[in-house]
Amino acid sequence: MQQILAQAWRDWRTRGSPRKKGALVREILVQLRKTASRIRFVVIALVLAFLACQTLPSYARSWPYQDFPFRPHPSLGYLPGGLVPKPFRFIVATDSHFGSAAGNKQSALAFQAIKERHGNAAFLVHMGDITETGASSEYDIYDALVLSLPFPVLNTLGNHESRWQDRYGQIFRDRYGCSSYSFDYANWHFVVLDTSYPGQTYGTIDPATLAWLERDLGALPPDRPIAIFAHHPLLYEARKFQDADDALLRILERYPVQVLFCGHGHMFTNWKAQGRDVFMIGALMDGAYAVVEVTGDEMRVYSEKVKQLNPDDFANQRSPDEMKTYCTEPGGTRGGSRSYLPDASGAAFGAAGGTSVANKPPGGFGPGRPDAPVGSGATCVERALLGVVTVRSLNELRSPITSMDVSVLDQGTTLSVTLELSQRVSLYYQIDGGPFVGLGDADAGTYRTNLDISGHAKGVHTLRVKAYASSGEGPYYAAREFGKLERDLVLWRVDLGSAVTGTPLWVSPQRIVVGTRDGRVLMIDIRTGEKVWEHNAGSSWCGGTIDGRSLYFTTSAGELVCLDVTDGAFWWKAGLDKSGFSSGPTVVSTRAGKAVIAGAASGKLYAVSPIAALLLWSFQAGGAITGGISAAEDLVFFGTWGTGVYAVEPGTGLGVWSLPLGRQIYYSPALKPLALGDAVYTTVPLDKLSGGSFIYALSVSEGLELWKQAFSESLLEPTVPFSSFHIKEFFATGSAPRAGSAHATIARSVPEVIVPGSGGVISCLDSKSGQLLWQLQGDGTLFSTVANLDSIYVTGGARGLINIFVNDVKIDYKVRDSFLFETPLVVVIPVGSLQAMGGGPRNGGNPEAGSVGARPAKGTLAPGFYAVIAGDTRGTLWAIAVPEVR
């Protein structure tokens, strides 16, 4: 037995990866079964389990992602400390923004304070916005500080990680592993949730993550207290930063979640929701973080904020007592205090809990004093009690709203609401994120009321009811979706289980291809919504293109994949870039044959042979390539988050020209440019210092400025008006149209450029002069470009509202109260397929040509039934019929 254990210990120390250690455990158990009694076997197994727990801190801090099969949402098991209830403390941090000046300075000070004051902490959870733009160099700054901490650090994505350089978080995952996971410490279960969405400031929780969360919590003992961490504020009534609250409420109803922590707001505040405590934590870039002390069934949450003081502030201080007074007044709030901390010269920090002056000689800091270098300053830590969380059973957390039923009456003008209440409450209601309106007090039992919904658009809406108990507890929420004349326009809807990413591709008159965030690629019949085939790519679909029978698409893991578009059969895959892709590829013809070209977050542009999947060449740009690639006149064009637009020869990979546009990275021409004839059109976001948001027309051959126009809101991706005539040509040649693409036929025949603004304005410009031809005013948009076909223009997306313009008439359709981030697709469903759906062809009129506000005539619309295909963040794909307007 001793020999087995000795050999086991030697093998344990030499086998590095958890997978190899897992194999070792199995080997040891086999030997123990042969040589030991059952009692000894159990004892040794417990010892091995303890050893396994000791390896988890480094595993959690720097996940060896490549050593594991694809597991998007894991459970890490126990951190050191095991399952035994005991007092402990942990750190909650967020929004360090390394890469910015304030982040580099203040966040470093905060980490130094954490290290010196709380070195005995069990762990630290960083809730996102680790970096300013998601660049590798910014993570390097963070890693250098984190590696010096004496406890595990667990991370997740914020919108700053996924907004600019690294939209799908692949750089993050390569360093730290998965962005949603759970772990245990003492008698608590902790869950870290990724609320980011690629390329967006707003957030969500993907349905695949919510499904994992249900499984994770469902496997726990029923009395295990749970804490949740996320970047975007959860259940935050003041402002909607993410759209997953309703789905999260349904989970909270079934599990004893005690507390939720979030960031993003750069301030300390807390609120109650569903009987739970929710804390927003201040930003590390402001020197702020939270310390949570756990004793028994109680959590005490403290804010701490490091403030650097100028030496002049201490010029008149003459004693430690005076110094203490200075550091305490005006002091923190809610019983808080300030504790003295020294400057960077290295004196010891004050004790945690912070009321004393540490190691400070009389006289204090002052100009010219030998113990304080001039200009270095000292630091104080402000400490305040944010709140106390007392563990309660699930029954104690029950909402007084035990059930809610809704039904639509009177041809969509009235909503009937029935509530079952367990006690007397004060009630309020809200529809689709509007203001809460009081309903008055209601006694326990059944409560009924009718609400006027005549002013709401057709579609799927959400009613939310808020209740405060007579004891003052609350608010408690209940939410239900209801459809207002939904069937009038919805042809079908299908649940995909994960959000759609990238614009759908129109493959044939009857079929489209969509991809999901959890890595599935599906062909859908646009007449019925039925799945034709499915392929699991293993990581998020970032967009695709079709050439003949070949479907080429990129993934967030940095792979270029080729499938047979007819049946989804796998042809080949090329792993190109660890930093991952953020947008789909394009296919171009060169003298040597065709090439598939895609740009990566590393700033590299890759060309791959479609025949043998061989890398033809790569080109290094000065910034992340997150937008698509355009082609014209034997060149390919793209923009970067490095303030550059580039033209490259597709046959050789040689750069032809580059042009810096935008004042800095936040105002870079990073969206896909539009190559149209002899010009390339690109946009830069709104920059007030530069005078607005600009669309540029550049010469194809040299990148010279032909014209530019300024707008007062951020311009998004330019495109051209599509027509059924050209689409028929595409289908006939086997090449389907792509949003923002510039097929040669269109380039010869369309003299217009369409560009959306973030405020919802669609502008049409003369491609030769930049003259504004017409505009349409929609609601604020989240779509990157304008979906259009045969003079039908689609914009919107914020809070799930789609604006469909037909003959200058705006038609609103509410998909549901969630964000629509990905640009939809406008399609024509052939007339022959409509009989089963009870529909018929739509014949459009010709709008009057002329001034701004009226679109020029486009001719007769193609026969067929027009529909908008859109995917929401809840994983539902919708086919919405375009109403006939005469």
Side-chain angles (χ1 to χ4, degrees):
M1 179 71 68
Q2 293 177 346
Q3 292 177 349
I4 293 175
L5 292 178
Q7 183 61 42
W9 176 249
R10 288 192 294 271
D11 291 343
W12 187 269
R13 300 188 65 179
T14 56
R15 298 197 187 185
S17 73
R19 175 182 291 175
K20 293 179 180 179
K21 290 181 178 178
L24 173 63
V25 170
R26 290 191 294 270
E27 294 171 9
I28 296 172
L29 292 178
V30 170
Q31 295 183 54
L32 288 176
R33 287 192 184 100
K34 297 178 179 178
T35 59
S37 67
R38 182 172 299 176
I39 296 176
R40 291 180 178 178
F41 171 77
V42 171
V43 171
I44 301 304
L46 291 174
V47 171
L48 292 174
F50 173 79
L51 291 174
C53 288
Q54 303 309 305
T55 68
L56 282 172
S58 59
Y59 170 61
R61 184 187 305 174
S62 181
W63 190 307
Y65 187 69
Q66 65 277 7
D67 289 346
F68 286 82
F70 180 70
R71 294 190 299 176
H73 313 294
S75 177
L76 301 185
Y78 292 104
L79 291 186
L83 186 59
V84 180
K86 63 178 182 179
F88 66 96
R89 73 172 57 176
F90 63 91
I91 311 299
V92 186
T94 184
D95 295 275
S96 49
H97 290 266
F98 284 107
S100 67
N104 291 347
K105 178 181 179 181
Q106 296 299 121
S107 295
L109 286 173
F111 270 112
Q112 180 68 10
I114 291 169
K115 179 180 178 181
E116 296 294 342
R117 291 170 62 83
H118 307 294
N120 62 342
F123 56 86
L124 181 151
V125 176
H126 195 304
M127 299 185 296
D129 281 4
I130 297 170
T131 66
E132 182 67 4
T133 69
S136 292
S137 59
E138 296 168 350
Y139 283 114
D140 290 342
I141 303 172
Y142 173 68
D143 287 347
L145 291 168
V146 165
L147 289 174
S148 69
L149 297 177
F151 42 72
V153 175
L154 303 109
N155 307 291
T156 192
L157 286 164
N159 57 288
H160 273 254
E161 278 75 60
S162 59
R163 173 70 177 86
W164 286 279
Q165 310 273 9
D166 185 24
R167 291 192 173 188
Y168 287 85
Q170 191 61 28
I171 297 174
F172 173 97
R173 290 183 178 87
D174 187 58
R175 288 173 179 254
Y176 313 119
C178 296
S179 52
S180 292
Y181 49 89
S182 65
F183 62 95
D184 297 287
Y185 192 93
N187 59 319
W188 279 79
H189 185 70
F190 298 96
V191 179
V192 180
L193 293 177
D194 179 2
T195 58
S196 68
Y197 190 88
Q200 299 291 336
T201 298
Y202 292 112
T204 190
I205 305 176
D206 193 79
T209 299
L210 288 168
W212 162 79
L213 179 61
E214 287 252 31
R215 295 191 300 271
D216 182 73
L217 300 186
L220 296 174
D223 58 348
R224 179 73 55 83
I226 302 162
I228 292 178
F229 306 87
H231 179 71
H232 292 86
L234 303 172
L235 306 171
Y236 187 53
E237 195 173 303
R239 184 176 174 187
K240 198 73 166 178
F241 290 107
Q242 50 77 35
D243 66 0
D245 281 347
D246 298 336
L248 188 62
L249 281 175
R250 291 191 288 272
I251 294 176
L252 294 182
E253 290 172 356
R254 295 190 291 278
Y255 302 103
V257 176
Q258 306 291 329
V259 61
L260 302 96
F261 297 94
C262 58
H264 193 68
H266 288 224
M267 64 179 178
F268 287 109
T269 187
N270 59 295
W271 60 92
K272 286 274 191 177
Q274 226 63 10
R276 280 76 170 177
D277 293 277
V278 191
F279 295 90
M280 182 186 292
I281 305 304
L284 282 165
M285 73 178 302
D286 298 325
Y289 54 90
V291 179
V292 183
E293 298 179 351
V294 184
T295 305
D297 288 338
E298 182 180 275
M299 271 189 181
R300 300 180 69 84
V301 183
Y302 295 91
S303 67
E304 291 196 0
K305 186 171 183 179
V306 181
K307 181 179 180 181
Q308 191 168 31
L309 303 172
N310 189 291
D312 293 341
D313 295 334
F314 295 92
N316 298 321
Q317 303 298 323
R318 291 291 181 262
S319 71
D321 289 337
E322 290 176 321
M323 181 72 74
K324 177 179 176 181
T325 300
Y326 182 88
C327 289
T328 306
E329 298 295 338
T333 59
R334 283 180 266 188
S337 63
R338 294 183 180 183
S339 60
Y340 163 74
L341 295 172
D343 66 345
S345 59
F349 281 85
T355 55
S356 64
V357 179
N359 300 332
K360 189 66 201 136
F365 280 141
R369 297 185 182 275
D371 56 344
V374 176
S376 67
T379 54
C380 282
V381 171
E382 299 175 331
R383 181 177 170 93
L385 178 65
L386 286 178
V388 179
V389 179
T390 302
V391 173
R392 295 193 290 172
S393 68
L394 187 58
N395 284 332
E396 293 175 297
L397 294 168
R398 298 286 185 194
S399 169
I401 305 175
T402 59
S403 70
M404 181 168 74
D405 294 314
V406 298
S407 59
V408 178
L409 309 174
D410 304 328
Q411 296 182 331
T413 62
T414 303
L415 182 67
S416 175
V417 183
T418 302
L419 304 174
E420 294 295 332
L421 306 172
S422 62
Q423 58 180 290
R424 182 177 175 81
V425 294
S426 298
L427 292 174
Y428 303 81
Y429 81 93
Q430 172 202 74
I431 296 179
D432 293 339
F436 275 98
V437 179
L439 290 171
D441 295 338
D443 292 323
T446 302
Y447 174 88
R448 293 185 177 88
T449 189
N450 290 335
L451 305 176
D452 181 10
I453 58 172
S454 58
H456 292 276
K458 291 181 179 181
V460 179
H461 301 267
T462 300
L463 170 71
R464 298 181 182 91
V465 173
K466 177 173 64 172
Y468 289 91
S470 56
S471 62
E473 286 265 340
Y476 294 90
Y477 299 94
R480 294 293 183 273
E481 288 187 345
F482 65 91
K484 176 181 175 180
L485 304 177
E486 173 190 0
R487 296 181 182 272
D488 281 5
L489 296 181
V490 172
L491 299 176
W492 50 261
R493 54 189 286 190
V494 58
D495 183 16
L496 301 178
S498 183
V500 170
T501 52
T503 301
L505 298 176
W506 198 1
V507 179
S508 73
Q510 291 84 27
R511 294 177 176 181
I512 61 170
V513 169
V514 298
T516 62
R517 195 174 181 186
D518 67 351
R520 288 172 299 122
V521 182
L522 307 98
M523 175 173 279
I524 303 292
D525 190 314
I526 62 175
R527 300 164 297 180
T528 63
E530 295 179 353
K531 180 178 67 175
V532 179
W533 56 256
E534 178 178 335
H535 171 81
N536 189 353
S539 57
S540 300
W541 152 288
C542 300
T545 189
I546 297 169
D547 186 60
R549 289 183 55 185
S550 299
L551 165 63
Y552 304 100
F553 65 90
T554 52
T555 72
S556 60
E559 297 170 333
L560 177 64
V561 184
C562 180
L563 305 180
D564 186 329
V565 75
T566 60
D567 58 9
F570 175 81
W571 282 358
W572 54 259
K573 176 172 65 176
L576 296 176
D577 199 301
K578 287 179 60 179
S579 63
F581 294 104
S582 297
S583 58
T586 191
V587 178
V588 299
S589 296
T590 69
R591 294 180 180 179
K594 291 184 177 180
V596 187
I597 298 179
S602 63
K604 282 191 175 181
L605 188 71
Y606 294 94
V608 173
S609 167
I611 298 175
L614 298 176
L615 179 64
L616 301 176
W617 52 260
S618 65
F619 172 88
Q620 181 66 59
I625 306 172
T626 59
I629 313 298
S630 291
E633 301 295 327
D634 297 325
L635 294 174
V636 292
F637 307 92
F638 61 94
T640 72
W641 281 116
T643 68
V645 177
Y646 294 81
V648 175
E649 288 184 351
T652 63
L654 297 176
V656 177
W657 57 260
S658 63
L659 180 68
L661 293 176
R663 182 169 56 88
Q664 53 170 273
I665 186 172
Y666 305 103
Y667 313 108
S668 293
L671 294 175
K672 179 180 180 179
L674 168 67
L676 185 65
D678 57 359
V680 178
Y681 304 87
T682 190
T683 60
V684 294
L686 178 64
D687 178 12
K688 294 181 179 179
L689 292 179
S690 299
S693 177
F694 294 91
I695 179 170
Y696 291 85
L698 309 173
S699 66
V700 164
S701 58
E702 298 177 279
L704 300 176
E705 182 181 310
L706 303 177
W707 56 260
K708 70 177 180 180
Q709 287 282 10
F711 288 77
S712 59
E713 63 181 28
S714 280
L715 297 177
L716 305 175
E717 185 178 300
T719 186
V720 294
F722 289 107
S723 73
S724 295
F725 173 77
H726 294 125
I727 285 172
K728 289 177 182 178
E729 288 191 346
F730 281 124
F731 287 143
T733 60
S735 298
R738 299 175 298 278
S741 68
H743 190 276
T745 305
I746 292 180
R748 290 194 302 268
S749 60
V750 178
E752 301 166 348
V753 174
I754 310 292
V755 62
S758 58
V761 176
I762 301 173
S763 300
C764 179
L765 308 175
D766 183 280
S767 62
K768 299 298 182 183
S769 65
Q771 177 185 355
L772 182 64
L773 302 177
W774 52 261
Q775 287 182 315
L776 298 170
Q777 177 64 63
D779 297 296
T781 187
L782 297 175
F783 302 149
S784 61
T785 189
V786 179
N788 75 91
L789 180 66
D790 292 337
S791 298
I792 298 170
Y793 296 92
V794 180
T795 187
R799 297 212 72 121
L801 188 66
I802 291 180
N803 307 140
I804 304 172
F805 289 92
V806 184
N807 298 346
D808 298 326
V809 176
K810 183 166 81 76
I811 302 161
D812 292 336
Y813 188 82
K814 183 77 171 180
V815 169
R816 58 164 33 124
D817 194 29
S818 64
F819 298 127
L820 302 181
F821 290 129
E822 300 297 343
T823 303
L825 186 66
V826 185
V827 299
V828 180
I829 300 178
V831 178
S833 64
L834 299 178
Q835 295 178 354
M837 293 183 277
R842 171 185 171 277
N843 296 313
N846 295 328
E848 183 177 332
S851 60
V852 171
R855 288 176 285 123
K858 299 295 181 184
T860 303
L861 299 181
F865 196 88
Y866 289 79
V868 176
I869 310 294
D872 64 28
T873 55
R874 302 272 57 80
T876 304
L877 187 67
W878 302 71
I880 304 162
V882 177
E884 181 177 350
V885 177
R886 296 184 183 275

